[in-house]
Amino acid sequence: VAFFALELQRSDRATQYLRERRVTPALIEAFRIGYAPDSFDMTYTHLLKNGFSRKEILSAGLGVQKELTEERIYDRFRNRIMFPIADPQGNVIGFGGRTLGEDAKYINSPDGPLYSKSLALFGTHGAREDARERKSVILVEGYFDVLAFHHIGIRNVVAVSGTALTEQHVTLLKRIAPEVLLCLDQDEAGRQAAERAFALCARQGL
């Protein structure tokens, strides 16, 4: 997280992009947003120098090895705005990366010992206190949706981020608040996702 935060400070393009998306310095700090440099192995090399093993870097999903027989490891996240994904206690368990280039728009950490896309929701740690106070949690689609709500002072909001809502997600939501407000995109895909989310939440009494 610290490495990506420092790289964000060094990248005029990344900071300008966040400025254009109206992401304030306060939000950058609160969500520990960073930048993965446009490099083949800068992240991997940094982690090696700081005592992490090849196995740990691969297991965390920050490095990629195309073939098991291939020695070389390269960075999974390159030229991307980095969103740390934390568990409800605030421990970072994975990352979501938004490209500044022509690659796939968003990629997340792969499932591993800490992170599972069917279990994790973005923003749960920051949402818990307000969600319990308001007795509701707002479900949105992506990282920038969560930031937009926080920008106007609404913090009881979490995002699915790149995957369909699962029963495990709903179980997590139920621990946070008794009511879920669906605020998904207003296109056809968003409407279908809202219908499916409604059915999953209703099944668990939310």
Side-chain angles (χ1 to χ4, degrees), residues 5-201:
L6 182 60
E7 290 301 315
L8 176 61
Q9 294 175 21
R10 291 173 172 168
S11 172
D12 292 339
R13 185 183 178 198
T15 52
Q16 177 63 25
Y17 174 80
L18 289 174
R19 197 176 299 121
E20 289 171 357
R21 295 293 299 261
R22 299 185 181 181
V23 180
T24 64
L27 285 173
I28 291 171
E29 183 178 354
F31 284 90
R32 296 177 281 183
I33 297 169
Y35 172 68
D38 190 9
S39 166
F40 188 84
D41 61 1
M42 269 184 69
T43 303
Y44 171 68
T45 301
H46 170 82
L47 292 171
L48 272 184
K49 287 180 179 176
N50 280 270
F52 294 95
S53 69
R54 291 166 57 92
K55 184 178 179 181
E56 287 171 329
I57 296 166
L58 290 169
S59 181
L62 291 169
V64 176
Q65 192 175 20
K66 282 191 174 180
E67 302 291 340
L68 293 177
T69 55
E70 187 179 297
E71 278 292 310
R72 198 165 191 191
I73 293 174
Y74 63 92
D75 295 343
R76 178 180 300 275
F77 299 98
R78 289 176 284 176
N79 193 28
R80 290 180 181 273
I81 300 294
M82 297 295 287
F83 298 91
I85 301 170
D87 64 16
Q89 289 71 47
N91 303 304
V92 175
I93 55 175
F95 291 92
R98 201 277 185 203
T99 186
L100 293 182
E102 301 301 320
D103 301 319
K105 192 171 184 180
Y106 285 97
I107 60 171
N108 280 9
S109 295
D111 285 0
L114 296 177
Y115 174 76
S116 170
K117 64 183 178 183
S118 63
L119 296 172
L121 291 167
F122 178 70
T124 49
H125 177 62
R128 285 199 309 171
E129 188 176 330
D130 278 35
R132 285 171 180 164
E133 186 178 316
R134 295 171 183 259
K135 295 183 172 53
S136 66
V137 59
I138 301 167
L139 182 69
V140 297
E141 289 198 15
Y143 307 107
F144 284 104
D145 299 325
V146 173
L147 297 180
F149 272 99
H150 275 255
H151 186 64
I152 59 172
I154 298 173
R155 295 179 175 83
N156 59 325
V157 56
V158 299
V160 179
S161 300
T163 187
L165 191 72
T166 66
E167 290 187 6
Q168 295 98 317
H169 286 143
V170 176
T171 300
L172 175 58
L173 290 171
K174 194 171 183 178
R175 293 194 194 116
I176 298 173
E179 181 178 59
V180 177
L181 307 175
L182 301 174
C183 189
L184 305 178
D185 290 353
Q186 292 302 296
D187 54 17
E188 184 58 32
R191 285 192 290 272
Q192 290 179 6
E195 289 179 11
R196 186 173 181 278
F198 177 87
L200 284 172
C201 290

